[in-house]
Structure formats: structure tokens, C-alpha cells
Amino acid sequence: MASPVSRGSDEEKAEVKSTATADDGESLATAWPSPIDGDEIESDAVRDDEANAGEPPGRVKAEPKGMLSLTRTSTRRSALSSKDPGPPPDGGRVAWTQVFCCHLTIFSTWGLITSYGVFQQHYNETLDVSPSAISWIGSVQIFLLFFLGTWSGRALDAGWFHYVYCTGSVFQLLGIFSLSAATEYWQIFLAQGVCLGIANGLHFCPSMSLVSTYFAKKRSFATGLTALGSCSGGVVFPLIVQQLLPRIGFPWTIRVCGFLMVLTNAITITLYRTRLPPRKTGPIIEWSALREPTFTLYCLGMFFNFLSLYFSFFYIGSFGRVQLGMTYPDSINLLLTMVAIGFLWRIVPNYFADKVGPVNVIIPFAAVCAIMMFGWIGIHTRPTLFVYAAIYGSGSAGLQSMFPAALASLTTDLKKAGVRMGMGFTIVSFACLTGPPLAGALIQLRDGDYLAAQIWGGASFMLGTALLIAARTAKVGWHVKRRI
């Protein structure tokens, strides 16, 4: 008859063999102990020493030391296999499905925001309020999208992604269908500005953070593909308004947009999958990130870039109609030109960002926006305004798509991706809140003249570009070929 020790050893060998077989399909990275495991091993050793200290000299424990070691190793390996998913897959069916879902999310969030110039013109003609007051609707919508990023981004880290996303879907559908019935300024403000803004904030940041956990080497390229949703929605929604508004009126035009959002939400809720295990502990704000010069300067630079970024999107249609006498369909085509050109410039920069670094790529696009904003001052004909829309649309598309990609690249710990991205989004949210209304106030102050607003916009872009250069210099110095 085998001794108890022999039977125990045989069982341990079988358990270890079973665990190894179950782990064959997993990444090798999950088989290695992490720093946390080192702490556990050390703690186990201390507890063993304390337990042995009370034993009489010469007394042998009932279980062999080898059995305890094998048990701890097997348990620890099994825990790693179930909790640590390993390095990002950088591709595969599940990873690219998340990219597709995030594209649809941005389609129904940023796509509608990018189209706000169409609504700005319609509200200018139908509501008895100033252009600056109308700008607050779109600005609040963007502000809430970014501002709620601090909390909704943390939801991904904590394992609440689907709860938060579904809540955002409820707000989005409530907001869009309430907008279809709104007739007064305050009703439109609550439905489109507040309700849709909350929905966007609960959707955008967690989705972008989720995609970043699936990619490492191809992260910027994947982020660029998701950012194309802004162009897709920015073309589809204005076309819906352009074609249906004169035929079926404002309420049913908005309802058609709402039915489209029902479809996108049904697809994304079904297909979204989180990859990393929940990180229940940790602060909502990571204060240590603000002590990193590169992260802080980058966020400040993007604050000033976003301060004037949406000025053109909100007002270029009104500028064409009031200053150059363009028709309403032509003014919508002007906005479509600015948005549609972004299809190319939202994906190409992200492809090269994976090779030369996202911060290196975003700086030239900020400079292009600064130059074009000053160039807007000298535009007095319709063809040149279309040229301006195309070039500025290219620069702004690269700037918008590279913003989250560069922000994600400054985060080395993927478990903190949601928190840090949320912090960056919250910082720029205040720029988005105040920028377009400030531009509208400057236009109103000069009785419809755009000069002061154009100078302010160009100066803001120049300062933002300078701060981005400072962020790069703080990280790698003046070495031009360094990747960052």
C-alpha cells in the first residue's frame, strides 16, 4: 500500500500536469510571475518561517515542503492564467471587431457633433437667439463628452464598461427623440446639448480606452480607423438633413437620425468585449501623471488647439451665407468638404504614427491649422473658401484623430489607460465648452465681422503647437529622429 505522502505527491503531479495542459493555448507571458507574484512568494516564505518558529526542535511537519511548494506554484500559475490576459494581441477577429464597434460609436457621437454646423444654420434661421447662444448647444455637447471621460474612462478599468455604455445608449436615444419634438431654445439645449452630451461622454472615452487595450504596435493605426467614424457620421448626418429637411421637416429628419442610432447601439452593445480584468482599486485621477512634464505639456497644448478647433466647423456655413452670399445647400456642401477630406487624413497619419511616433506626427497638423486659421482672414471668394475648407479639414482631421492616439502612447501601463485618457479628455473639455461661444461673442461684438475671431483662433493654435513642441522636447530633447 502506498504511503499518504506518495499519494499526495501523485495527486500534485496530476494537478500540475492538468494546469500545464490547460495553459498550452495561452500566451507565454501569462506563465511568468509578475511583480505582484514576487510579493506573494515573499509573503508565503515569511509565513512559513513564522509557523516553523513555534515547532519543537527535530519535529517534522505532516506535509512535505516540496508538496507545499508545488501547491503554491500550481495555484499561482492557475490564478495568472485566469486573470492575466497577457500582452495585447495586436490583431485577430475579436480585436478588429472592437475597432469596428468603436467606429460605430464615434459615428453616432462625433459624427453628429461634427455636423453641428448644419444645426447652427438652421437654428439661426428658426430661433430668435444670438449665434453665440446657439453655439452653447454644441459646445456643451462636446464639453460633456470630454468632461465625463474621467469617470467613464475609470469604468473600463473597474469592469463596469457594459453598464456605463448601456446607460449612455439610453441617454442617446432619449436625447435624439426628444430633440425631434423640441421647438424652444431651452428644449433644444436640454435634448441636444445636455442629454446627448451625457450620452457621448458615457460612450466615447470607455470605447477608445477599450480599443487601446487590444493593440500595442498597431495602436495608432487602430485608433485612426475608429476615428474615421467622425467622418462617416459627419457626412451621413448632414446629407440626411440636406435631403430630408426640406421634404419632411425637422422633427422627422431628426427621427431618421434616431433610428440610425438605434441600429448602431444594437450592434455595439452586442459585440463589445472587454479584455483586461477589473482593477477595482485606484484613484479616479492619477495625480502622478500631472507631475510628468510630457503628459502635462501635451494636455495643455491640446487644450489651446481644441479651444479654436471647432470654430470653423460651427461657423463656416454661416460665414459663406452671410459674407459671400452662398445658398443653404452650398453652405452644407462646404461643411461636407471640410469633413469628407478627413477620411484620408484620419487614417494615413495614424499609420505613420506607429513608425515615427504619434507626438511627432500630431505637431505638423497643429501647425497647419494655425496657418489656415490666419489664412481665413484673406478669403473673399467662394472657390477659395472651398480650398480653405479642404486644407483646414485635412489639418483638423489629423489633429483630432492623433489626439487620443498620442495620449494613449504616453501611458505605458495599460491598466491605467482609462484613467489617463479620461484625464486628458477632461482637460480639453473646458476648451471645447468655451471656444465656439467665445468666437461667436467676438463676431457679435464686431457686428458680424469675423476678423477678431479669426485672429484669436490662429493665436490659440500657435500657442497649442508651441506647447506640443515643448512636450516633445521634455521627453527626448531636440533629437529630431527620436520616436515619441
Side-chain angles (χ1 to χ4, degrees):
M1 179 180 296
S3 65
V5 173
S6 299
R7 284 198 304 270
S9 299
D10 293 338
E11 291 171 359
E12 283 297 319
K13 291 177 182 178
E15 182 180 354
V16 173
K17 182 177 180 180
S18 174
T19 304
T21 302
D23 289 344
D24 282 344
E26 296 185 88
S27 169
L28 291 175
T30 61
W32 295 97
S34 67
I36 299 176
D37 298 321
D39 296 338
E40 293 176 354
I41 295 171
E42 184 176 351
S43 300
D44 289 340
V46 172
R47 284 194 294 269
D48 289 344
D49 293 341
E50 291 176 351
N52 291 336
E55 295 289 342
R59 182 174 178 179
V60 180
K61 297 183 68 174
E63 295 180 321
K65 184 176 181 180
M67 184 187 297
L68 289 175
S69 179
L70 280 172
T71 302
R72 283 198 297 267
T73 302
S74 176
T75 304
R76 185 159 52 250
R77 183 184 173 98
S78 177
L80 278 171
S81 300
S82 61
K83 292 185 178 180
D84 185 2
D90 252 334
R93 179 180 57 83
V94 176
W96 291 115
T97 299
Q98 309 313 301
V99 172
F100 171 71
C101 289
C102 193
H103 179 97
L104 293 181
T105 297
I106 296 179
F107 173 93
S108 58
T109 55
W110 275 112
L112 191 65
I113 291 173
T114 306
S115 310
Y116 187 74
V118 176
F119 295 96
Q120 177 89 19
Q121 295 181 61
H122 177 73
Y123 296 152
N124 279 336
E125 297 175 357
T126 57
L127 298 177
D128 188 20
V129 293
S130 67
S132 179
I134 294 173
S135 295
W136 278 106
I137 299 173
S139 296
V140 168
Q141 191 176 358
I142 304 174
F143 165 74
L144 289 173
L145 181 150
F146 280 130
F147 180 74
L148 293 178
T150 294
W151 290 270
S152 61
R154 180 68 183 88
L156 171 67
D157 300 335
W160 305 331
F161 173 82
H162 286 94
Y163 300 106
V164 171
Y165 192 88
C166 291
T167 302
S169 298
V170 172
F171 273 98
Q172 187 176 73
L173 299 180
L174 176 64
I176 195 69
F177 286 108
S178 297
L179 178 62
S180 68
T183 56
E184 301 292 334
Y185 173 79
W186 66 270
Q187 296 171 343
I188 296 173
F189 182 87
L190 290 177
Q192 188 170 5
V194 177
C195 198
L196 284 177
I198 293 173
N200 296 341
L202 297 178
H203 273 181
F204 178 63
C205 184
S207 302
M208 291 296 296
S209 301
L210 176 64
V211 170
S212 70
T213 64
Y214 278 89
F215 295 89
K217 294 181 180 180
K218 299 178 182 178
R219 184 184 299 170
S220 295
F221 181 68
T223 304
L225 290 176
T226 65
L228 282 177
S230 178
C231 293
S232 303
V235 170
V236 170
F237 286 118
L239 284 175
I240 291 175
V241 174
Q242 183 185 44
Q243 298 299 319
L244 297 185
L245 185 61
R247 300 177 183 179
I248 61 177
F250 182 79
W252 272 105
T253 299
I254 298 301
R255 290 184 188 115
V256 170
C257 296
F259 294 138
L260 188 58
M261 290 181 176
V262 171
L263 176 62
T264 59
N265 278 282
I267 295 173
T268 54
I269 290 174
T270 302
L271 297 179
Y272 266 133
R273 296 290 184 273
T274 57
R275 192 183 76 89
L276 297 180
R279 185 170 66 94
K280 296 296 185 180
T281 59
I284 294 178
I285 300 176
E286 187 192 354
W287 296 106
S288 61
L290 299 178
R291 293 194 291 270
E292 299 177 12
T294 301
F295 181 85
T296 302
L297 289 171
Y298 176 81
C299 290
L300 286 175
M302 294 310 298
F303 174 89
F304 285 101
N305 285 324
F306 273 89
L307 188 64
S308 53
L309 180 65
Y310 297 104
F311 168 36
S312 288
F313 284 95
F314 282 21
Y315 285 94
I316 191 170
S318 298
F319 178 87
R321 297 196 68 185
V322 175
Q323 301 293 328
L324 304 181
M326 298 177 68
T327 62
Y328 181 72
D330 284 344
S331 65
I332 294 182
N333 290 334
L334 192 63
L335 179 62
L336 288 174
T337 300
M338 184 179 289
V339 175
I341 196 70
F343 274 105
L344 176 65
W345 295 105
R346 286 179 186 272
I347 189 63
V348 172
N350 286 273
Y351 174 78
F352 287 102
D354 287 322
K355 301 180 182 298
V356 302
V359 177
N360 289 335
V361 173
I362 197 175
I363 293 175
F365 286 99
V368 167
C369 290
I371 294 171
M372 292 311 300
M373 186 63 70
F374 282 118
W376 190 6
I377 298 173
I379 293 176
H380 304 290
T381 63
R382 299 182 186 182
T384 54
L385 186 59
F386 273 95
V387 173
Y388 165 81
I391 300 177
Y392 181 82
S394 302
S396 62
L399 190 68
Q400 292 176 84
S401 67
M402 289 306 304
F403 167 53
L407 186 60
S409 72
L410 300 178
T411 303
T412 56
D413 186 356
L414 291 181
K415 292 184 178 180
K416 298 179 181 179
V419 173
R420 286 207 172 195
M421 193 167 287
M423 290 171 62
F425 287 169
T426 300
I427 291 172
V428 303
S429 69
F430 291 96
C432 298
L433 175 67
T434 57
L438 179 57
L442 290 173
I443 295 170
Q444 187 176 1
L445 187 64
R446 292 180 58 87
D447 297 324
D449 185 66
Y450 280 65
L451 180 61
Q454 291 163 336
I455 294 175
W456 161 80
S460 179
F461 272 124
M462 286 188 64
L463 180 56
T465 304
L467 287 169
L468 290 181
I469 295 174
R472 184 192 185 280
T473 305
K475 184 73 173 180
V476 297
W478 293 102
H479 300 283
V480 179
K481 296 183 179 180
R482 290 287 183 87
R483 184 185 186 279
I484 175 175

